[in-house]
Amino acid sequence: MFKVTRSDKPEDWENKNYRDSAVVKQLKRDFFSKCYICEMKDFGNVNIEHFVPHLNQDNDLKIEWENLYYACSHCNGIKGARHRELLDCCSNDYNVADKIEYYPPVVPNGTVTIKNACSTELEIHALTEKTIALLNQCYNNSNNGPQNVSHSTLILEIHKEYGYLWQIRFELLINKDRYTEFELNQAIEKIINMTKPNYPFSGFWRTFINNDPDLLEILSDNDIQF
């Protein structure tokens, strides 16, 4: 999950259709074209997800702007009304990006590992555990045909970016003394860019860097605190 700064309700949303083009367009912009749960970017199966389930009973909740989130159909189908009391990526009380650690599978048919980065003494720890239960299902479920296809695509996209990060890291480590200042800064900028909220699966790459002493040393040597 990644930090989202929600904009005001679109002024041109004048009906009670939460799938209205004005809604979808604004949410796509606010959420960087990413599913707020799995962080897949530029997917075609867009869903407007209700953070608090309306259960087809609360019409106000159904069209409440602050309750509408940008999601893929895979994650929306898994979350449904079953997963509640989750970390909120739009909350101003905390940065959701700091609460969870993400580890990609090391083999194509492997499992994504999600860990709680919060101290057990913090109140938010329990909320994070509930969120991790959802994330584990979204990243790892392939219980039927459609889920299997969605899961395979999701893991493939994660591995594409994972390979890209390893490539940049490898080139940076072996060339750090050969690089010009411009080349060094360019390589560092590419890595830092992967941790920004608009980048696909940014939570994974933040975890990667935080667990890489060599990269952290290079960043520190260049006055970059991560």
Side-chain angles (χ1 to χ4, degrees):
M1 286 181 156
F2 54 99
K3 175 64 178 174
V4 173
T5 301
R6 183 185 291 275
S7 61
D8 293 333
K9 178 181 176 181
E11 293 182 0
D12 52 345
W13 181 25
E14 300 175 343
N15 54 47
K16 295 186 177 181
N17 178 14
Y18 65 84
R19 297 188 181 95
D20 185 87
S21 59
V23 173
V24 177
K25 181 179 179 181
Q26 190 59 55
L27 288 177
K28 182 180 181 181
R29 183 182 297 114
D30 287 354
F31 286 77
F32 310 109
S33 301
K34 290 171 56 174
C35 171
Y36 84 99
I37 299 174
C38 73
E39 294 200 56
M40 174 83 84
K41 185 165 185 171
D42 294 325
F43 48 89
N45 51 344
V46 175
N47 280 199
I48 303 305
E49 207 274 320
H50 294 86
F51 189 72
V52 179
H54 58 81
L55 302 175
N56 290 320
Q57 296 176 356
D58 191 330
N59 289 328
D60 291 335
L61 193 61
K62 196 172 184 178
I63 60 172
E64 182 179 323
W65 172 243
E66 288 75 15
N67 195 40
L68 303 180
Y69 287 62
Y70 198 77
C72 69
S73 61
H74 173 72
C75 292
N76 189 24
I78 290 174
K79 176 180 177 288
R82 296 176 292 278
H83 293 271
R84 309 185 190 187
E85 298 181 3
L86 305 170
L87 290 175
D88 184 359
C89 62
C90 295
S91 174
N92 292 321
D93 295 331
Y94 52 82
N95 185 349
V96 68
D98 299 331
K99 308 306 177 187
I100 299 174
E101 295 180 349
Y102 303 77
Y103 299 87
V106 295
V107 294
N109 64 344
T111 301
V112 170
T113 301
I114 312 293
K115 295 183 179 181
N116 196 327
C118 301
S119 168
T120 55
E121 298 177 357
L122 296 177
E123 185 176 342
I124 202 170
H125 184 274
L127 200 64
T128 305
E129 285 294 300
K130 293 180 180 180
T131 306
I132 289 174
L134 169 62
L135 290 172
N136 271 322
Q137 291 185 29
C138 289
Y139 283 119
N140 297 313
N141 273 18
S142 55
N143 299 328
N144 53 50
Q147 271 194 13
N148 187 49
V149 172
S150 298
H151 172 261
S152 297
T153 301
L154 180 59
I155 297 303
L156 176 60
E157 293 302 315
I158 292 174
H159 275 153
K160 284 180 182 178
E161 299 298 341
Y162 195 29
Y164 176 63
L165 178 55
W166 270 109
Q167 178 184 355
I168 299 173
R169 178 191 185 276
F170 178 72
E171 293 176 351
L172 178 57
L173 291 180
I174 66 172
N175 292 309
K176 63 179 181 179
D177 295 324
R178 301 189 186 105
Y179 274 161
T180 63
E181 183 178 355
F182 173 79
E183 290 171 326
L184 178 62
N185 290 335
Q186 190 176 46
I188 291 174
E189 184 178 358
K190 287 179 180 179
I191 290 175
I192 294 300
N193 184 57
M194 294 183 72
T195 69
K196 294 179 179 179
N198 65 313
Y199 200 89
F201 314 113
S202 55
F204 287 88
W205 322 135
R206 289 176 61 88
T207 300
F208 183 99
I209 294 173
N210 277 320
N211 286 276
D212 188 331
D214 293 326
L215 276 183
L216 289 174
E217 182 179 357
I218 291 175
L219 295 178
S220 178
D221 289 344
N222 287 271
D223 298 324
I224 299 174
Q225 299 299 319
F226 187 80

